[in-house]
Amino acid sequence: ISIANCHLNQKAIEIEAPQGVLPNSVFEVEIKVPYDVNRQQIGADGKPADLNVGGILILPKGFKLASKAQISPEVKAKNKGVFISPYSTEFDNILIVGPIAGKTHQELIFPVVAPDPDKNQDVKYLTYPFYAGGNRGRGQVYPTGEKSNINAFGATQAGQITDITTTEKGESVITIVNSDGAKTSQTLSAGLKLLVKQSDIVKLDQPLNIDPNVGGFGQEESEIVLQSSSR
């Protein structure tokens, strides 16, 4: 799951869904993404920001996102301003949402319509597994593979910190000189709190700042029974 590749911390989520559903019925799968709403993260600009949340629901083939006409007014009200979409036309059984404001959306509601085995030969009256994932906060890794500013950054060489300066953007520039006199400079993003000071001796990969990550990704799996109305 791509979200999991960006969010390296593990945080628990919960799934609520019916145990069994009938063909063509509309039901809800709820992913709960709890966290302390008083905590803030570092934004891309280095300033404190509220956490956002997102979710992914991997349903059995044939199960799809319910259409607007099929969704109850109650669920429409709960999901006001929330855009849930299929991952693609090919994988319309995979639903994604977010990032959206976490303070008001710690419960992600996915309206789903069950398939009909009489109309789809690939679907049977069986017990199916399904999977859910939820994240809170910004990711630690960009899709390009680069680290975001939601990380603890290690020293690129061992040695002594000879200088720490602050740029106009609020970035910290740390200069390290090793035992051979070789000098390296590292620039840490604005908003990160340093663990080191000038004259400190550091080891290779020793963290230079406090890990700012307060978010994380969690995943769970469950089962749902597609039941026949004649049974």
Side-chain angles (χ1 to χ4, degrees):
I1 299 176
S2 60
I3 300 174
N5 292 334
C6 295
H7 293 262
L8 306 181
N9 266 14
Q10 295 295 311
K11 297 281 186 178
I13 64 165
E14 298 175 23
I15 305 174
E16 286 190 6
Q19 292 183 329
V21 295
L22 297 173
N24 302 309
S25 64
V26 177
F27 63 96
E28 299 167 20
V29 176
E30 185 175 313
I31 301 176
K32 295 185 177 182
V33 190
Y35 72 92
D36 182 355
V37 295
N38 294 316
R39 302 196 73 176
Q40 289 190 308
Q41 63 182 350
I42 296 177
D45 59 0
K47 296 178 181 178
D50 290 335
L51 273 70
N52 42 23
V53 299
I56 182 168
L57 180 62
I58 304 176
L59 297 162
K61 286 287 184 72
F63 289 75
K64 299 179 181 179
L65 178 67
S67 66
K68 288 184 179 180
Q70 295 173 307
I71 301 172
S72 69
E74 180 185 5
V75 173
K76 284 181 180 178
K78 289 181 182 178
N79 277 353
K80 187 176 181 180
V82 177
F83 183 69
I84 300 172
S85 63
Y87 180 73
S88 67
T89 52
E90 181 183 359
F91 298 105
D92 58 1
N93 62 309
I94 301 177
L95 309 181
I96 54 176
V97 62
I100 54 178
K103 277 190 173 181
T104 51
H105 297 104
Q106 293 188 56
E107 298 175 352
L108 306 173
I109 300 173
F110 294 79
V112 178
V113 60
D116 188 344
D118 293 337
K119 298 177 181 178
N120 186 342
Q121 295 182 347
D122 295 328
V123 177
K124 310 295 180 184
Y125 292 110
L126 294 171
T127 300
Y128 291 95
F130 68 94
Y131 310 91
N135 70 279
R136 68 285 275 163
R138 296 177 56 233
Q140 290 79 63
V141 183
Y142 291 120
T144 57
E146 294 178 285
K147 285 185 176 182
S148 73
N149 61 345
I150 308 293
N151 280 281
F153 293 90
T156 55
Q157 74 170 11
Q160 184 174 33
I161 296 175
T162 58
D163 193 30
I164 298 178
T165 59
T166 304
T167 69
E168 291 182 358
K169 295 181 180 179
E171 302 164 319
S172 297
V173 181
I174 301 174
T175 302
I176 302 173
V177 178
N178 69 11
S179 57
D180 296 325
K183 181 188 295 186
T184 62
S185 291
Q186 290 179 246
T187 302
L188 271 59
S189 301
L192 296 177
K193 295 180 180 179
L194 299 184
L195 285 168
V196 295
K197 61 185 183 300
Q198 191 170 331
S199 300
D200 280 358
I201 305 296
V202 294
K203 298 177 181 178
L204 177 65
D205 294 328
Q206 179 177 327
L208 300 176
N209 65 285
I210 296 172
D211 188 347
N213 186 28
V214 295
F217 178 84
Q219 58 189 36
E220 291 288 346
E221 62 180 277
S222 188
E223 293 182 337
I224 194 163
V225 180
L226 184 59
Q227 299 173 328
S228 171
S229 57
S230 61
R231 292 182 183 178

